Amino acid sequence: MLIPLFVELCAGTAALSLRLHAGRYARPPVSRMGAKTGYGGAILAAMGFRAGQGAARYLWCDPDPGVRLLLEAYRDAGLAREAASIIRGWKDEDPRALWERLRAEGPPVLEPWITGGEVARRVLLGAWAFRGGHPESGFNPCAVYPREMSATDHGSKGRTVETPAGVLDTVPTLPATIHPDARAVDPREVARWALLGQWSFRRGEPASGYNAGLLSDRDPTPTGGHAAKARTCDQEAGLWDGLPTLEDAAIADDARAIDPPRLPPGTVCYIDPPYQGTTGYASDLTRAEVLSLARRWADAGAAVYISEAEPLTELHGWHYVDITTARVGQKRTFSRQQAEWLTCSVPPALKPGVQMGLF
Ligand SMILES: C[S@@+](CC[C@H](N)C(=O)[O-])C[C@H]1O[C@@H](n2cnc3c(N)ncnc32)[C@H](O)[C@@H]1O
């Protein structure tokens, strides 16, 4: 069955969506605390899905601007490839100097597509167009040089730059929310954030400082040296070049702001909040907020699944699956959090080590 909508309310690297869409070998190109790369297989199995089957549409929420750069690159192949080529352009620079320079530029920037300059350009184009508001109809000299003409001539009112500027000065402010889809992301920001995270002391956390050892100790032979070497510019660029594209994805910031309408049957909502008692994310969700989100999406018709270090027993009648032992890949050596649970609004299709529905 085609999944009509797959929602990740606390998307992070959206490792689960990536696996669902592009197969079991698809990995987020950046490391991030709490990423579900190692548990992706177990979670999809519990949902009854297989890696690579895909969904018709995705919805991702995360307030973190660095995360949103990554998510934008997932749905825009052009952006990902351009970021790759920018990273390649940095390859001859001294790594530490490059990293420090990129970090000094500050937190990641999501440029709003409509800048003040762009608004001005569009307003003026429309005001001076032959058919008002339609720049494609051509330039209308009468709209600009009317003063000497008779007041009865077509277009004789005339609009100097002052006219649209005055309108913009007094335009009312409406309490409207604009979906962040209408953003164009600067590929250089994607590139900058990718490299900063890759070469930082704690992966994905530029605030932890530059990790000289990761690059300078790099052994050119694949078998030698420390296992966790950082990627070079060329390797990083190659990763972004090969990133799968999930075009049908919407991206929003705060999960709490979304009030889902009645959802199409088969909609799946996965919630992977910052775990209770953990620190490190700029934004957080309380347990009460997680429970409220879970109920809201279940009431709207979604099958809801929540990851946590414990079962959310406050959700009476829901199902709890211990997936701790199902992790694939690197062990969580430095993490205090060892247990991994999935709380589900519908019966799980599969539990680790137990096949459901056979009896
Ligand atoms: C455990 S991580 C999710 C990891 C993700 N499943 C992955 O595979 O990378 C939790 C995420 O919740 C995000 N978050 C925090 N507050 C949020 C909010 N109000 N709405 C949506 N996401 C939020 C954090 O920024 C963080 O990326």
Side-chain angles (χ1 to χ4, degrees), residues 36-54:
K36 284 296 172 290
T37 317
Y39 283 113
I43 297 173
L44 285 186
M47 292 174 172
F49 304 138
R50 62 175 169 74
Q53 79 173 76

Side-chain angles (χ1 to χ4, degrees), residues 306-326:
I306 310 151
S307 280
E308 242 299 357
E310 57 190 1
L312 302 191
T313 49
E314 300 92 326
L315 293 167
H316 304 297
W318 288 38
H319 310 263
Y320 317 113
V321 190
D322 181 355
I323 59 168
T324 312
T325 56

Side-chain angles (χ1 to χ4, degrees), residues 173-332:
T173 306
L174 276 65
T177 306
I178 299 176
H179 202 275
D181 276 13
R183 285 167 186 269
V185 178
D186 180 357
R188 187 183 177 280
E189 272 305 277
V190 177
R192 182 172 77 90
W193 212 243
L195 212 68
L196 273 178
Q198 181 57 209
W199 290 356
S200 53
F201 200 77
R202 277 198 307 278
R203 282 295 159 81
E205 293 179 48
S208 65
Y210 177 69
N211 191 346
L214 285 179
L215 280 173
S216 58
D217 299 347
R218 172 168 273 281
D219 190 315
T221 61
T223 49
H226 190 263
K229 294 287 179 246
R231 293 188 283 268
T232 62
C233 279
D234 268 338
Q235 290 167 329
E236 185 70 23
L239 213 71
W240 288 82
D241 259 343
L243 207 60
T245 308
L246 288 76
E247 277 160 7
D248 282 323
I251 302 170
D253 42 18
D254 196 328
R256 293 167 298 191
I258 298 181
D259 198 4
R262 192 74 213 146
L263 296 161
T267 295
V268 176
C269 174
Y270 173 59
I271 311 177
D272 184 17
Y275 286 10
Q276 193 147 270
T278 58
T279 50
Y281 299 106
S283 310
D284 208 353
L285 283 172
T286 63
R287 174 59 59 85
E289 286 170 328
V290 172
L291 296 174
S292 148
L293 280 174
R295 291 191 181 107
R296 199 189 301 170
W297 282 82
D299 288 348
V304 178
Y305 301 83
I306 310 151
S307 280
E308 242 299 357
E310 57 190 1
L312 302 191
T313 49
E314 300 92 326
L315 293 167
H316 304 297
W318 288 38
H319 310 263
Y320 317 113
V321 190
D322 181 355
I323 59 168
T324 312
T325 56
R327 186 182 172 89
V328 174
Q330 247 182 322
K331 290 275 166 279
R332 280 178 162 158

Side-chain angles (χ1 to χ4, degrees), residues 101-124:
R101 179 167 65 77
L102 297 179
R103 191 171 70 157
E105 290 177 25
V109 176
L110 274 163
E111 281 292 346
W113 174 50
I114 312 255
T115 61
E118 191 60 6
V119 171
R121 189 175 75 88
R122 282 159 187 243
V123 167
L124 210 69

